[in-house]
Amino acid sequence: MGRTVAPGEPEWTEEDTALAVEWQRIRDTTCAGCGQPLAECLTDDGGYETTVVRCHGCKAKEKRVEELGKVSDTAGVKVVVHRLPEDA
């Protein structure tokens, strides 16, 4: 998504700026580790529970990275995850 900036138009509109400021405010007030609001998770030590889940995309990626590391130089190598078609 985006817009084409015509000559003479500002690179950022007022709406773009407002959205960017709000995005940064949310990032600044959210724990990067658990995703909970900092105002809550830094003051309440008993109001949380966890659920263990497994991302099968990450599992496949991590296994491939491990395999690559055993046989080759992995400097600069990126492993990309693709969803298989339903009929595969």
Side-chain angles (χ1 to χ4, degrees):
M1 263 180 27
R3 67 180 179 87
T4 303
V5 179
E9 288 185 341
E11 194 168 331
W12 287 72
T13 66
E14 286 184 31
E15 181 182 17
D16 294 335
T17 302
L19 289 170
V21 169
E22 179 62 10
W23 175 83
Q24 188 63 55
R25 185 197 65 75
I26 291 169
R27 284 197 53 165
D28 290 346
T29 59
T30 302
C31 176
C34 69
Q36 299 300 309
L38 289 173
E40 295 174 11
C41 68
L42 296 181
T43 59
D44 179 10
D45 66 350
Y48 297 93
E49 63 179 31
T50 61
T51 301
V52 176
V53 297
R54 177 175 303 215
C55 173
H56 295 283
C58 288
K59 179 182 173 183
K61 180 179 178 179
E62 291 165 10
K63 285 179 75 172
R64 183 67 172 130
V65 167
E66 184 179 317
E67 292 166 3
L68 285 171
K70 292 178 183 176
V71 296
S72 65
D73 175 14
T74 59
V77 172
K78 306 292 186 239
V79 176
V80 180
V81 178
H82 298 279
R83 177 85 173 148
L84 293 174
E86 291 291 325
D87 58 349

